[in-house]
Amino acid sequence: RLFFFLITFMISQAELGVPGGLAYDMSFNKFGLRLCFLGISQNIAPYARRFCRRLVKHHEALLRQTDPISASAVDLAIATAERQPLFLKRRLESAIRETSKEQVANEGARFLSSCRGAICLAQGDLVPSEAMALMAKLKEQFEPFIGVSPSRLGPAVPALTSILYKPFWQPHGASLYSIPGVPLISDSCGRIPR
């Protein structure tokens, strides 16, 4: 349920990034939450920081709301669930319709407190120093919300093939080539020489 309501919460963030060729992918896998960001080095760091700040504070924002979850958010969450297999789709639809904002907020807080680590990868025109600076900022944003377990077990470390599946970019039409001048200076892989 959390995933489908998170998508509705992030729509305004996604729409803000379209003119800059920015997009995100958010998906759950057996290791946890995978976030991917598409953009160029000049605009991807602020977008990723703003996105993650909203993500970690989503459950707090839900609890501050006085109104129940809007019908449009429920409809959008159900539409997102449409991509699931039929047997799961029916169960998800009824669970989404019966969900309260408190349940979604508690599920989000529990999920974040269950996280014990992260894997960060960067490619394209981000230089290593920019990638490390972005990673440090994102770590600062997530630290107050993630759990600290007394267990000696470290976080699960997946094989790269388990987390490097094709992203499903939101919004779908986002493209770096919509930024004026990028098609003229980028190479065939989308990298921009410095």
Side-chain angles (χ1 to χ4, degrees), residues 41-88:
S41 64
Q42 290 82 354
N43 62 12
I44 197 166
Y47 182 76
R49 287 193 310 266
R50 190 176 311 113
F51 185 96
C52 291
R53 185 172 42 252
R54 291 189 72 181
L55 177 68
V56 297
K57 295 187 177 192
H58 178 244
H59 61 282
E60 293 174 352
L62 271 176
L63 292 175
R64 281 194 306 269
Q65 284 181 356
T66 55
D67 300 331
I69 297 172
S70 71
S72 62
V74 170
D75 291 342
L76 185 56
I78 289 171
T80 305
E82 293 289 323
R83 290 182 246 155
Q84 302 301 317
L86 186 59
F87 72 93
L88 184 58

